Amino acid sequence: MVSETLTPGCEAPAKLMRADGRPVDWIIASAPVPYPEALAAMKARAAAIANGEAAEAVWLVEHPPLYTAGTSARNEDLLAPERFPVFEAGRGGQYTYHGPGQRVAYTMLDLRERGRDIRCLVNGLEGWVIDTLARFNVKGERRAGRVGVWVARPERGRGAEDKIAAIGVRVSKWVTFHGISLNVAPDLDHYSGIVPCGISDHGVTSLEDLGQIVAMYEADSALKAAFEARFGPVRSVADGLVL
């Protein structure tokens, strides 16, 4: 069943916007980023934000092929442990895949300035992806009891659906890190080495799989416009997650 129910108070996007209108640093990595490097940079930036030493940031990256394990990951869901490197992510959730053709958007946001509501944040991240997909004529949907964004696949039978975007966040001192991953044009066979997010009865898809040929810069442009509509202004800064 489709669930469009939001946490009370999240209906108005203004809750997730800063009252002072301070822009978020918008950073696009120019080359694939190794996962340990990304994790260390995110933690450092989040700590700096919490201490008032850095601006909020959204960092858009691609990773080499790899699997990450969230805090709820089950050993039996790692089906091919030797296929790609596996990293402990430190975020919520289970196993997921990252690789070329997938846009990962790491969000380091200060919830002290954005309503102090983690459930509302997750709603907002899902809505951000849904709004982005709509720009490519793809209908992304929420599902009750499952975090992420889903696409119905009626051509495969009644109730068939695939996941197109995963969401996993961690919050420390009211500052978020990790974020979303949107499948633009990854090799979907790479998901066969895990049970993605612990869900075995549904598949995964991408914009390319749905017939939408989208360049990464086009996906980035759509993500930027949709983010600003829900979270407020951004400012583009140089490559690299610097303080």
Side-chain angles (χ1 to χ4, degrees):
M1 183 175 99
V2 178
S3 174
E4 296 296 341
T5 302
L6 303 182
T7 301
C10 290
E11 295 84 354
K15 181 171 184 178
L16 290 170
M17 292 189 178
R18 293 180 66 108
D20 61 8
R22 185 180 181 185
V24 175
D25 286 352
W26 187 265
I27 308 161
I28 303 177
S30 60
V33 180
Y35 191 77
E37 178 182 316
L39 195 59
M42 274 194 294
K43 288 180 178 179
R45 182 62 173 253
I49 293 168
N51 292 332
E53 299 168 351
E56 298 173 298
V58 174
W59 189 25
L60 278 65
V61 309
E62 286 181 90
H63 288 302
L66 59 91
Y67 298 128
T68 65
T71 54
S72 301
R74 300 174 297 190
N75 290 336
E76 60 269 25
D77 287 345
L78 181 59
L79 305 178
E82 305 301 323
R83 188 171 188 184
F84 298 125
V86 181
F87 297 97
E88 297 290 334
R91 53 157 174 78
Q94 301 185 42
Y95 283 105
T96 193
Y97 166 77
H98 296 312
Q102 180 193 74
R103 178 51 91 202
V104 178
Y106 290 125
T107 54
M108 287 142 280
L109 302 177
D110 189 348
L111 295 187
R112 295 170 297 186
E113 303 290 339
R114 298 179 183 274
R116 293 178 181 260
D117 189 329
I118 296 172
R119 291 174 66 92
C120 188
L121 170 73
V122 173
N123 288 154
L125 294 176
E126 289 174 335
W128 174 27
V129 174
I130 289 169
D131 294 348
T132 299
L133 293 172
R135 295 170 184 269
F136 301 108
N137 298 312
V138 172
K139 184 180 181 182
E141 298 176 330
R142 296 180 176 92
R143 290 291 183 264
R146 287 187 256 141
V147 175
V149 177
W150 300 79
V151 176
R153 306 301 299 270
E155 72 277 11
R156 296 182 180 174
R158 184 178 180 182
E161 58 189 10
D162 290 335
K163 194 171 192 176
I164 194 168
I167 295 172
V169 294
R170 184 170 179 178
V171 179
S172 177
K173 298 181 180 179
W174 287 108
V175 177
T176 73
F177 54 109
H178 296 287
I180 69 165
S181 58
L182 172 63
N183 287 341
V184 179
D187 184 341
L188 295 179
D189 179 65
H190 289 180
Y191 279 92
S192 63
I194 57 172
V195 178
C197 301
I199 300 172
S200 59
D201 52 349
H202 299 292
V204 291
T205 190
S206 66
L207 286 168
E208 181 181 61
D209 184 51
L210 296 169
Q212 298 294 325
I213 306 304
V214 176
M216 194 62 76
Y217 76 87
E218 294 175 309
D220 291 346
S221 179
L223 282 164
K224 183 178 180 180
F227 182 89
E228 289 190 306
R230 285 185 175 265
F231 293 91
V234 304
R235 61 173 185 175
S236 297
V237 301
D239 183 16
L241 191 64
V242 296
L243 300 182

